[in-house]
Amino acid sequence: MRATTRLAQRLRQPGILVAPGCHDALGARIIEQAGFEAVYMTGNGLSASLIGAPDVGLLTMTEMVARGRSLAAAVSVPVVADADTGYGNLNNVVRTIREYEAAGVAAVHLEDQVTPKKCGAMKGLALVSAEEHADKIRAAVAARTDPDFLIIGRSDARIPNGFPDALRRGQIYAEAGADLVLLEMLQSIEEMREAVASISKPLVFNYVEGKVPDLKVSDFAELGFKLLNYPVSSTLAYARMMRDFAASLARDGTTLASGPPLLSLHDYEQILGLGAYH
């Protein structure tokens, strides 16, 4: 069964689907081996890992698709990917969808920021009109060849424009044909409840530590969300680990100093599936 179909069928089942984020294929394998049913490809983490820069629209569509292809090839679970704004106008959106679909990704979200965009947790976000983004969603839906390849309509309006405009945009994107809707940075349980009740398509939530209410998976499930992403959590954990590792090696002159022990080479090779290679 195709990854797209597995994801579409899973989202039609009761309960919430959790997709931890990662920025590389190793992270995707670790997430799958931990028992998660989907992986989220983070644009923020990719910008950090590929070019060491913040998520301010510097990566190209081809760079993002190439990483999406590597993640999808490394795991058997579906990959949900950040597709930013679609990287331009309607023509660019059409190509973006075709490239991501050909790469083996199972779903993408398109956001309603101007191009170049910024991370949704940053200040100074600028948006296109809801009507322009609805046209992009319609173009994305028409461009896919697999009906189970899911289009997520995302709005970043909550922080710059307030909740009423974010909700209005979510409703418009649902009507335009988005399979799911993501309202970035909802700021209260009340907003979440209203969004789930007022939008005709299933809702996605991006959990960003320190930027949204501190809730557990069970809370998001009870509120009625269908897909829960953790976009930057693993990248933050990686950055913390690398900073501590580098400081420890510089200070102590050894990798065997105090602190969490390194993963053994045996366990590392197990993650990578060394035994399957001749």
Side-chain angles (χ1 to χ4, degrees), residues 77-152:
V77 297
V79 173
V80 179
D82 186 348
D84 294 323
T85 64
Y87 308 99
N89 62 18
L90 298 182
N91 296 323
N92 300 101
V93 168
V94 169
R95 183 178 178 220
T96 295
I97 295 304
R98 290 174 178 169
E99 293 287 343
Y100 268 105
E101 187 177 351
V105 168
V108 297
H109 63 71
L110 297 168
E111 59 203 62
D112 55 5
Q113 291 190 45
V114 300
T115 301
K117 48 81 58 146
K118 295 181 178 180
C119 170
M122 294 178 180
K123 296 179 180 179
L125 303 184
L127 309 182
V128 300
S129 70
E131 292 71 26
E132 179 178 341
H133 195 59
D135 285 341
K136 285 187 173 183
I137 290 171
R138 281 187 280 267
V141 171
R144 64 186 174 189
T145 60
D146 180 354
D148 286 334
F149 181 85
L150 301 180
I151 308 298
I152 303 169

Side-chain angles (χ1 to χ4, degrees), residues 219-242:
D219 298 319
F220 288 108
E222 185 176 346
L223 286 164
F225 288 94
K226 289 301 296 182
L227 176 61
L228 175 60
N229 302 325
Y230 288 81
V232 295
S233 306
S234 69
T235 302
L236 295 175
Y238 169 82
R240 174 64 181 269
M241 180 276 297
M242 281 298 299

Side-chain angles (χ1 to χ4, degrees), residues 242-258:
M242 281 298 299
R243 189 180 67 177
D244 291 350
F245 167 78
S248 175
L249 180 57
R251 181 184 64 245
D252 302 316
T254 175
T255 61
L256 303 177
S258 60

Side-chain angles (χ1 to χ4, degrees), residues 182-183 186 192 203-207 212 220 225 227-229:
L182 166 57
L183 301 185
L186 294 180
M192 296 177 199
L203 261 65
V204 182
F205 196 89
N206 273 356
Y207 183 88
V212 297
F220 288 108
F225 288 94
L227 176 61
L228 175 60
N229 302 325

